[in-house]
Amino acid sequence: MNTQPIASHFINGAYIEDIQGQPIDVIYPATGDVIARVYSATPDIIQRAIESAIQAQIAWSSMSGTERGRILLRAASIIRQRNDELSVLETYDTGKPLSETLYADATSAADCLEYFGGLAGTITGEHIPLADGNWAYTRREPLGLCVGIGAWNYPTQISCWKAAPALACGNAMIFKPSETTPLCALKIAEIFIEAGLPAGLYNVVQGLGDVGAALVNDPRVNKVSLTGSVPTGRKVYAAAASQMKQVTMELGGKSPLIIFDDANLENAVSGAILANFYSTGQICSNGTRVFVQQGILKAFLARLVDRLDQAIVGDPQNLKTTFGPMVSKRQLDIVLNYIEKGKAEGARLVTGGKAISGPGYYLQPTIFCDVTDEMTIAKEEVFGPLMSVLTFDNETEVITRANATEFGLAAGVFTADISRAHRMVNAIKAGTCFINSYNDAPVEAPFGGFNMSGVGRENSKAAVAHYTQIKSVFVRMGDVDAPF
Ligand code: NAD
């Protein structure tokens, strides 16, 4: 596959280049080879992206929701037809195995476009009857120009999770992918044009944090949706707040996965694998603090190690591979550093712990047990294939410990006791909870975090509130009674 895009940016319906920008090499994580080069957006590129988006949004917002939705549905259908090609590109961009990307990336983008395409015609206000025959009505109006800023773990999915609701609600979007994975969003931009989206409504600009910051700080931008780390979230939220801009913040996590003695062992082990090793552990909602009740601990660890031995580590383009490389050398080094901290602070390494020699940024799936709440690996987001196993005795204790975190993105509970499952979910402070499951993210359900893990929600009807603003209109039916 030719992974070099025609040009770095996609603005006003066409590729555009400006090699004055800082070069960004795109590296294939499985080999370390440079597979493409893009250039960071210059002020001129940013200006063009903003101007064309503002212009295009005027006509777009005056179309009916159904008309807008039809275009999103067409884009979804093209994405589904090209799933193979888009999945291969996603694998080049991120290193995630094709056995995942074929099912979790372009398909998730298509789901989202279908959902919001269908919803677009239903975005309405309400009628409010008042005294004396007077009444008010509300209009749900678009915000205008929205900026999406992406993380590197799900470049196709993130671009559409932001673009689909934004466009359905009548906004324009400028998307800045992560500098680590700049390729996939450009394909989405091409597909939107092919589907009939008017030029300028979905522009892609490349760059590092400074390009993101320039977009966030531009007074013509009305809303920012960021998927990224908490430190970046703090900066972006503060910058947006200074101009009273709306935000959606999808940030990091250190989520608890709680396994009770009565859980179905095989399902609990599957849940723990999905919660820690899918996408080589590079998922924000991962349940990386695995609290296991004493009675099931031995059996759980034994089965987990057995199952991990079945992981097929290798070339992510090979369909048999189930565990790929880390996204970058930098991310690999971050995780190796956490592994060293885990050992130094007294956690017991059950399996893994080493980088795999050879080309690419491969790391063994790693499990620590005897982890305590105070250890660094139990407190900080690692964002890699590192599972920390902690033990607990009872429900009250584990709830307190599970909630003792600044994050609040997700949580999971495995138990056969249905009442206990709901009691736990009621007590846990997290935006997304899983009962006897982990990491499902259907577009129909809201996704987002409590506390430091975020602000606002993506997906579902809840996202509409984050891409619109309400206008109230008061209508008087009789004469106006003034004091003089
Ligand atoms: P990051 O915070 O380093 O970067 C995210 C994006 O923000 C990048 O595009 C980057 O260029 C941009 N950026 C950096 N500084 C900026 C600034 N000052 N102004 C504007 N933009 C700026 O995150 P990452 O390393 O790319 O991704 C990993 C992080 O993302 C993890 O913390 C993970 O939990 C989080 N994440 C969250 C979700 C979610 O939905 N909650 C999903 C995926 C990843």
Side-chain angles (χ1 to χ4, degrees), residues 134-460:
N134 298 327
W135 53 287
Y137 66 97
T138 59
R139 295 163 50 91
R140 247 188 201 283
E141 297 190 353
L143 298 167
L145 173 53
C146 303
V147 160
I149 300 175
W152 43 255
N153 58 343
Y154 276 77
T156 305
Q157 182 191 81
I158 291 172
S159 74
C160 287
W161 279 23
K162 299 189 188 309
L167 294 171
C169 293
N171 303 283
M173 169 149 284
I174 300 176
F175 185 73
K176 189 203 84 65
S178 163
E179 57 274 28
T180 310
T181 52
L183 305 178
C184 297
L186 291 168
K187 283 285 159 205
I188 298 298
E190 279 180 33
I191 288 171
F192 270 135
I193 291 296
E194 198 178 324
L197 187 76
L201 285 168
Y202 179 77
N203 292 333
V204 176
V205 299
Q206 308 292 352
L208 284 74
D210 59 330
V211 171
L215 289 165
V216 174
N217 285 316
D218 194 291
R220 294 168 292 181
V221 169
N222 304 102
K223 189 228 156 84
V224 182
S225 175
L226 168 77
T227 298
S229 61
V230 169
T232 304
R234 270 207 190 93
K235 286 187 222 160
V236 171
Y237 199 1
S242 71
Q243 294 177 31
M244 229 45 97
K245 286 177 191 179
Q246 308 240 10
V247 297
T248 301
M249 295 278 146
E250 292 291 355
L251 308 177
K254 188 74 201 176
S255 302
L257 168 57
I258 302 165
I259 296 166
F260 283 94
D261 285 347
D262 65 352
N264 174 304
L265 180 66
E266 212 55 31
N267 285 336
V269 170
S270 296
I273 289 172
L274 290 175
N276 284 272
F277 301 116
Y278 198 75
S279 299
T280 319
Q282 304 164 117
I283 298 184
C284 52
S285 49
N286 271 358
T288 50
R289 287 184 294 147
V290 183
F291 291 95
V292 184
Q293 205 169 14
Q294 293 284 1
I296 200 176
L297 178 68
K298 219 169 141 204
F300 174 80
L301 279 178
R303 191 63 191 128
L304 186 62
V305 171
D306 270 1
R307 294 272 300 271
L308 232 57
D309 282 345
Q310 294 166 31
I312 302 174
V313 185
D315 172 7
Q317 303 285 353
N318 183 334
L319 271 174
K320 293 209 172 81
T321 298
T322 53
F323 188 84
M326 308 283 315
V327 76
S328 62
K329 170 84 169 58
R330 181 173 171 269
Q331 197 61 25
L332 172 65
D333 289 342
I334 290 172
V335 183
L336 284 170
N337 190 37
Y338 276 113
I339 290 171
E340 288 314 309
K341 276 197 181 134
K343 288 188 207 160
E345 292 176 17
R348 184 161 65 83
L349 189 62
V350 177
T351 184
K354 289 202 179 74
I356 300 171
S357 61
Y361 313 125
Y362 286 89
L363 174 64
Q364 295 172 334
T366 298
I367 301 172
F368 277 106
C369 71
D370 300 341
V371 177
T372 59
D373 298 346
E374 301 71 35
M375 290 181 186
T376 311
I377 55 170
K379 288 203 301 212
E380 295 181 12
E381 183 182 49
V382 174
F383 222 62
L386 191 168
M387 181 196 289
S388 293
V389 177
L390 306 93
T391 53
F392 73 95
D393 291 315
N394 64 60
E395 218 177 291
T396 322
E397 171 210 339
V398 78
I399 287 170
T400 309
R401 292 172 61 199
N403 282 337
T405 169
E406 61 169 358
F407 300 108
L409 192 55
V413 184
F414 275 83
T415 176
D417 179 341
I418 188 98
S419 305
R420 170 156 65 191
H422 292 290
R423 227 171 21 243
M424 294 293 294
V425 162
N426 178 53
I428 284 170
K429 296 187 170 61
T432 301
C433 293
F434 306 96
I435 295 178
N436 293 329
S437 190
Y438 210 90
N439 265 345
D440 313 72
V443 65
E444 295 86 351
F447 183 81
F450 284 14
N451 302 327
M452 295 303 282
S453 290
V455 176
R457 291 293 177 271
E458 291 196 305
N459 288 342
S460 80

